[in-house]
Amino acid sequence: MQSKTTDTPLANGAVAADAEPRMELAAFLEYVKTGRTLDTPAIHRLMDDMADEARRVTFRLNSAYHPMDEVRALLSELFGRPVPASLRVFPPLYADFGKNIHVGENVFINACCQFQDHGGVYIGDGCQIGHGVVFATLNHPLARSERRHTVPAPIRLGCDVWVGSNAAILPGVSIGDGAVVGAGAVVTRDVPPGVVVAGVPARVIKTIG
């Protein structure tokens, strides 16, 4: 883990080291790949800073009409990298981190989707995401003494996955190529390729090849 302190000017002109440690974004993105608990002051400070930055971008995205090129430009700012020219998103879109969302070619994301992407959200080519889908990559320990912390795990969608409106995809879930997630489903475990899942918790109800 990498962290640093910053200098804060004092009233008398002196400079004091900031008592709050800071972590670099690149170090955080490597750290979450380990799946270890997010439980240090440096990590919490970075998460707060990124949440503020994500809100600044999403408020601009969601507060007015933008042509699709402008939508993609704002999403590139939110994600911290250029998004594909084939990406289509109907705002509003919400993210409380933003810098760990990865999308392939020819992806469509409908309105009101929510990305809790600290642990990583990976959306493959040709995916279609319905209204109000939630991607949650953080969980809390069950122990009351530890519940204020979070544990990251990535969500991965293969190619040509269709996620129905108001579905929730939980931490660590992978969804195979061509699978369909029914509206309102809560996906708690991996989904094989070429099946339809539905329900709470989601289960396989049909094979579509």
Side-chain angles (χ1 to χ4, degrees):
M1 185 192 311
Q2 299 175 6
S3 62
K4 63 180 181 180
T5 58
T6 58
D7 291 335
T8 303
L10 302 179
N12 62 5
V15 175
D18 192 334
E20 296 251 14
R22 294 178 180 270
M23 185 180 202
E24 300 292 345
L25 175 60
F28 177 86
L29 293 174
E30 288 302 312
Y31 183 87
V32 295
K33 292 177 183 178
T34 70
R36 288 183 288 172
T37 303
L38 307 178
D39 60 358
T40 70
I43 288 172
H44 292 166
R45 179 70 176 270
L46 184 278
M47 292 170 68
D48 286 345
D49 290 347
M50 291 297 99
D52 285 344
E53 182 175 331
R55 283 194 292 269
R56 284 194 293 270
V57 178
T58 55
F59 285 2
R60 288 159 53 204
L61 173 67
N62 299 334
S63 63
Y65 168 77
H66 301 279
M68 197 54 63
D69 285 348
E70 291 182 10
V71 170
R72 283 189 284 265
L74 286 164
L75 291 173
S76 296
E77 185 177 345
L78 176 65
F79 295 178
R81 72 188 71 81
V83 302
S86 58
L87 173 64
R88 296 177 67 241
V89 173
F90 288 175
L93 177 144
Y94 304 96
D96 55 6
F97 188 72
K99 296 298 188 288
N100 210 0
I101 303 172
H102 311 265
V103 296
E105 296 288 343
N106 299 306
V107 169
F108 172 67
I109 301 174
N110 218 324
C112 298
C113 290
Q114 302 183 53
F115 290 82
Q116 184 196 58
D117 61 286
H118 304 73
V121 176
Y122 300 83
I123 299 176
D125 296 346
C127 287
Q128 299 181 76
I129 312 300
H131 293 88
V133 173
V134 174
F135 296 90
T137 67
L138 296 180
N139 211 338
H140 294 273
L142 288 177
R144 290 174 60 183
S145 62
E146 299 296 322
R147 207 173 292 170
R148 68 188 181 278
H149 301 309
T150 49
V151 180
I155 292 170
R156 301 181 186 275
L157 274 59
C159 296
D160 303 315
V161 172
W162 172 20
V163 182
S165 296
N166 297 311
I169 316 298
L170 299 193
V173 166
S174 293
I175 300 177
D177 294 348
V180 176
V181 176
V186 177
V187 187
T188 62
R189 62 185 64 186
D190 290 353
V191 175
V195 301
V196 179
V197 297
V200 181
R203 61 183 180 83
V204 176
I205 62 171
K206 183 183 296 186
T207 298
I208 53 178

